[in-house]
Amino acid sequence: MEGKSLRKTNLFILFIAIIVFFITFLFNFSENTTPTKKQNLPKEEAVEPPGFKVPHKGIHTFIGASEKEIKKHFGEPEHIDPTPYGYDWWIYGSHSEHYLQIGMEKGKVVTIYALGKQLPTEPFKIGEDANHIIKKVDLADTVTFNYKGSRIEFEFKEDEMMVSPLVRFGKIWVQLYIDHFTNRLMCVRYLTSDILIKQRPYTIVYEGKLDEAPEPTEKKWDDIQNAEAREIFNITNILRMRQGLDPLQWNAEAAQAAYQHSREMMEKHYFAHESKWSGGPGDRLHQAGVDFTMAGENIAAGYPDGISAVIGWMNSEDHRKNLFNPSFTDLGVGVYHKYYTQDFVKLWIE
């Protein structure tokens, strides 16, 4: 699995942020993960932890549903977003606690991302104390199973066990995204084994051959990147509103600056806020024509998608400060392949 990286800067405290980053970097790479136990699944079948029952009702029951069934229950999607994994996201409930992304591939639901508090995510409840959730499931630092003749093992780092544990959920999987700072469930993602293997959100070891999603064309990447930028923007605003903060306005000029930075980082093979080609966040924003009195930037790389990048920012103290800064008024998001940039600004008002 590709390494995941996050960085954030605020133009007024750049020097302090650099010091914090290096302290955090040294701390992260000094951690040791001690294996505790393994969960072995000898074949593709429904397995439940002791005392755990998969409910017969809830949003997870739509995995495998047809397009017709989804439209009958939820109506027409607000918009349809492509992904690099072969499925399309059907988006519902934007700007609300009904926010939902339903992954549709070949006319069937293969994954679901549930962020809204008003969604039926039983037996897990958005906002629930993580300690209560841990009592419901059996967590392990590895998960092993067979799929299409291949033996697959996912290995979880200590921080992944804390903020994005993976749980076998009958015949599918569920990722539980936990806010490390509040110790509460932020959102839930349901996946089939096929999608889990293609996205590889954790370190993977396997024997045999795994299916790969076809590499998108550059034109398809453009559509994917625009869609992910929009998704990151919507998710960020919903998380802000949960904190009692005003939603941010989309800023096209800031989005262009963010996109150019994400693209430059990939093409120039570096990962940083400061660039010898385009300068710092303030330089890029000024060049894009943004008049601001305050700005901040979050960057990430290596995550399977924008959803995962936002979860990473949420669980990093400095990035979280940008996400929940009440002074910012606007946000621009730019995605290039698996590089993600958020540019937050407080606009200059004459």
Side-chain angles (χ1 to χ4, degrees), residues 199-257:
Q199 294 193 182
R200 304 180 192 181
Y202 311 97
T203 300
I204 186 172
V205 178
Y206 63 92
E207 297 174 2
K209 184 178 180 180
L210 300 184
D211 292 338
E212 300 278 355
E215 178 66 22
T217 63
E218 279 304 309
K219 173 61 173 67
K220 184 69 175 290
W221 268 120
D222 287 342
D223 295 337
I224 291 168
Q225 291 156 184
N226 289 334
E228 288 204 323
R230 181 170 55 233
E231 291 162 17
I232 290 172
F233 175 76
N234 287 335
I235 293 169
T236 297
N237 270 339
I238 290 170
L239 293 173
R240 280 177 62 89
M241 289 188 289
R242 281 186 189 171
Q243 301 293 317
L245 300 173
D246 291 333
L248 300 169
Q249 298 298 310
W250 178 261
N251 189 294
E253 290 76 19
Q256 183 62 24

Side-chain angles (χ1 to χ4, degrees), residues 31-43:
E31 291 181 338
N32 292 314
T33 301
T34 303
T36 56
K37 58 182 178 179
K38 293 187 178 181
Q39 178 183 4
N40 292 309
L41 300 175
K43 60 182 179 179

Side-chain angles (χ1 to χ4, degrees), residues 250-306:
W250 178 261
N251 189 294
E253 290 76 19
Q256 183 62 24
Y259 169 79
Q260 291 296 342
H261 188 52
S262 291
R263 181 166 185 167
E264 183 186 274
M265 285 191 293
M266 179 176 175
E267 292 181 343
K268 301 293 187 181
H269 307 292
Y270 77 99
F271 181 71
H273 295 288
E274 297 295 323
S275 164
K276 63 181 180 181
W277 298 278
S278 58
D283 300 312
R284 292 187 289 271
L285 288 167
H286 282 306
Q287 188 174 6
V290 183
D291 291 326
F292 62 93
T293 60
M294 183 179 181
E297 181 175 83
N298 287 346
I299 58 176
Y303 287 85
D305 57 17

Side-chain angles (χ1 to χ4, degrees), residues 113-285:
Y113 171 65
L115 174 63
K117 282 186 174 182
Q118 303 303 318
L119 297 172
T121 54
E122 300 88 22
F124 316 110
K125 182 175 177 58
I126 305 300
E128 182 179 9
D129 190 308
N131 293 326
H132 296 162
I133 294 173
I134 298 304
K135 294 177 182 179
K136 300 176 185 178
V137 298
D138 184 29
L139 298 182
D141 61 3
T142 63
V143 167
T144 305
F145 63 103
N146 290 341
Y147 183 72
K148 293 184 178 179
S150 297
R151 182 175 175 80
I152 298 159
E153 180 175 277
F154 283 107
E155 301 174 350
F156 312 122
K157 300 175 183 177
E158 186 175 352
D159 60 335
E160 291 171 336
M161 291 285 290
M162 294 173 59
V163 302
S164 58
L166 178 71
V167 178
R168 187 76 188 200
F169 201 61
K171 293 184 179 181
I172 63 173
W173 302 90
V174 58
Q175 285 179 286
L176 303 171
Y177 293 122
I178 297 169
D179 184 334
H180 177 59
F181 292 90
T182 64
N183 200 42
R184 294 191 176 276
L185 184 65
M186 273 190 289
C187 45
V188 178
R189 190 193 314 226
Y190 307 92
L191 315 90
T192 62
S193 294
D194 179 61
I195 299 304
L196 177 65
I197 292 166
K198 287 179 180 177
Q199 294 193 182
R200 304 180 192 181
Y202 311 97
T203 300
I204 186 172
V205 178
Y206 63 92
E207 297 174 2
K209 184 178 180 180
L210 300 184
D211 292 338
E212 300 278 355
E215 178 66 22
T217 63
E218 279 304 309
K219 173 61 173 67
K220 184 69 175 290
W221 268 120
D222 287 342
D223 295 337
I224 291 168
Q225 291 156 184
N226 289 334
E228 288 204 323
R230 181 170 55 233
E231 291 162 17
I232 290 172
F233 175 76
N234 287 335
I235 293 169
T236 297
N237 270 339
I238 290 170
L239 293 173
R240 280 177 62 89
M241 289 188 289
R242 281 186 189 171
Q243 301 293 317
L245 300 173
D246 291 333
L248 300 169
Q249 298 298 310
W250 178 261
N251 189 294
E253 290 76 19
Q256 183 62 24
Y259 169 79
Q260 291 296 342
H261 188 52
S262 291
R263 181 166 185 167
E264 183 186 274
M265 285 191 293
M266 179 176 175
E267 292 181 343
K268 301 293 187 181
H269 307 292
Y270 77 99
F271 181 71
H273 295 288
E274 297 295 323
S275 164
K276 63 181 180 181
W277 298 278
S278 58
D283 300 312
R284 292 187 289 271
L285 288 167

